[in-house]
Amino acid sequence: MSQTLSIIRPDDWHIHFRDGDVLAEVAPATARHFGRAIVMPNLSPPVSKVEMALAYRQRIMAHTQGYNFEPLMTLYLTDDTSVADVDAAAASGFIKAFKLYPANATTNSAHGVTDLDALAPVFERMAELGLLLLVHGEVTHDEVDIFDREKAFIDQHMQALTQRYTQLKIVFEHITTADAAQFVLAASDNVGATITPQHLMYNRNHLLVGGVRPHNFCLPILKRQSHQQALQEVVKSGHQRFFLGTDSAPHLRHLKENSCGCAGCYSAPAAIELYAHIFDEIGAIDKLQGFASQHGAAFYGLPENDSRITLVREAWKMPASIALGEHSIVPFFAEQTLNWKVQD
């Protein structure tokens, strides 16, 4: 059994850095081991214009100096996004995609899209200029069960999006169901998907059995074990249109542990170790480099990173919390043992 694993430096194709004091903690956590990251734009107010993305990028880079790291920016799609916004994004050189949040789907998504058809000129221009569409694929209707919202989005919107805009590259973000995996497998080469560590490692029992565990609460919510197993099978296959996107989403402890706790798992402190742990457990450690370091770059049309990291088979425990001033953040997999560690 191999005790070390050297892989091309990975990328995180879906990350939440937040801002302010939280940004100062979480941006270096990703930059330590990752070459690039697609940065989500759901700040308050949302990052919906190029000048806002530039300012945010500069704030990120101020906290990642000394690392071999590049933040790749996204713009938040709203009902008011225009073709001119797409042109400006493409001209910037550092904006790679637009993020589609259905209104009120998750944290800071109140400004999300309410009418996809009205954005047809925007989507068509994105396809022409090579900008990607990143989709949070859940409906938000109260009458749809929270565990069924991803499947409902596929039926109501995703099928139509991919059929109407055949030249547009679309990433189905943080997929959680067998339905989503099968949808991507059956789609064209212009449709890919990211998968988080929590959806590979956990199912809804880890959220609900023995009491509600707020630090395992994320959106899309953890699903039943059969869906977790379907995601594990698709990464074991080594399929090139599935790639790493942590959806790491930090929230201060007191905002998670209350009567209306925030959604999100903070996996950045040990993201690649978490993936290595679960890939090893399911007998797919040989597929980790493709998933973490190659498939996403190829889908985005970018070169692979030109450096490597080495993981060592070594048992270590995730800390119980991470101090942040007078507050703290509880990381995903807190106080549990991981079997791989990056060799610094």
Side-chain angles (χ1 to χ4, degrees):
M1 183 179 295
S2 176
Q3 301 302 307
T4 63
L5 177 67
S6 173
I7 65 170
I8 297 166
R9 184 172 296 276
D11 300 303
D12 189 340
W13 299 102
H14 184 123
I15 188 93
H16 297 269
F17 278 151
R18 310 303 190 206
D19 215 340
D21 292 342
V22 176
L23 173 63
E25 163 61 34
V26 305
T30 293
R32 278 195 292 272
H33 300 147
F34 288 80
R36 296 168 291 207
I38 286 282
V39 181
M40 293 296 106
N42 59 330
L43 302 184
S44 184
V47 180
S48 57
K49 300 291 183 181
V50 170
E51 56 271 23
M52 299 172 74
L54 176 60
Y56 187 28
R57 183 173 186 266
Q58 291 171 339
R59 296 196 296 276
I60 294 167
M61 293 178 70
H63 295 296
T64 57
Q65 294 180 16
Y67 295 104
N68 183 17
F69 177 75
E70 180 185 8
L72 305 175
M73 308 308 291
T74 62
L75 291 185
Y76 189 116
L77 272 176
T78 74
D79 289 339
D80 298 322
T81 300
S82 67
V83 170
D85 292 323
V86 178
D87 290 343
S92 76
F94 59 84
I95 294 171
K96 301 301 180 184
F98 281 77
K99 180 63 185 283
L100 169 60
Y101 291 103
N104 300 308
T106 188
T107 303
N108 293 340
S109 61
H111 299 276
V113 174
T114 61
D115 184 358
L116 288 174
D117 290 338
L119 289 178
V122 168
F123 295 143
E124 289 164 359
R125 189 61 172 159
M126 287 171 58
E128 291 173 7
L129 297 179
L131 291 167
L132 281 71
L133 176 64
L134 315 182
V135 179
H136 181 115
E138 292 185 290
V139 301
T140 57
H141 315 308
D142 289 342
E143 66 272 16
V144 179
D145 188 286
I146 191 170
F147 293 102
D148 298 330
R149 291 182 176 185
E150 186 171 272
K151 173 64 164 61
F153 189 91
I154 294 170
D155 295 341
Q156 296 177 25
H157 302 294
M158 202 66 173
Q159 293 276 10
L161 269 174
T162 55
Q163 291 169 8
R164 182 172 181 180
Y165 306 105
T166 56
Q167 300 307 307
L168 178 62
K169 278 200 163 182
I170 298 175
V171 181
F172 199 163
E173 297 282 17
H174 44 51
I175 63 169
T176 66
T177 60
D179 308 281
Q182 288 301 315
F183 174 82
V184 174
L185 287 169
S188 77
D189 288 344
N190 279 340
V191 181
T194 55
I195 305 178
T196 75
Q198 64 263 27
H199 291 105
L200 287 170
M201 299 176 82
Y202 282 176
N203 58 64
R204 64 190 186 184
N205 283 352
H206 297 91
L207 173 65
L208 299 171
V209 171
V212 176
R213 298 184 174 110
H215 298 287
N216 293 342
F217 173 53
C218 57
L219 290 173
I221 200 165
L222 295 168
K223 303 301 194 297
R224 66 172 65 245
Q225 186 182 46
S226 60
H227 292 299
Q228 175 196 11
Q229 291 170 338
L231 298 184
Q232 292 176 351
E233 288 302 314
V234 84
V235 300
K236 284 176 69 175
S237 76
H239 195 287
Q240 294 185 344
R241 286 188 284 112
F242 296 86
F243 40 92
L244 186 155
T246 61
D247 193 22
S248 178
H251 294 282
L252 298 178
R253 183 173 194 152
H254 69 281
L255 298 178
K256 290 285 285 180
E257 298 177 0
N258 65 34
S259 61
C260 188
C262 300
C265 297
Y266 180 45
S267 56
I272 193 63
E273 289 104 331
L274 288 162
Y275 282 110
H277 182 94
I278 185 60
F279 271 62
D280 195 17
E281 280 197 343
I282 64 175
I285 197 68
D286 61 315
K287 301 298 195 300
L288 180 63
Q289 177 171 264
F291 178 83
S293 312
Q294 297 176 301
H295 300 170
F299 193 83
Y300 273 79
L302 296 172
E304 295 171 6
N305 292 312
D306 59 4
S307 59
R308 304 180 73 86
I309 64 169
T310 299
L311 292 135
V312 180
R313 189 184 296 276
E314 176 185 325
W316 65 284
K317 187 173 285 190
M318 185 79 80
S321 65
I322 297 166
L324 189 64
E326 63 183 20
H327 298 292
S328 66
I329 302 174
V330 176
F332 178 68
F333 221 59
E335 298 188 274
Q336 297 187 70
T337 299
L338 287 162
N339 295 327
W340 289 88
K341 190 171 182 62
V342 174
Q343 185 178 63
D344 292 318

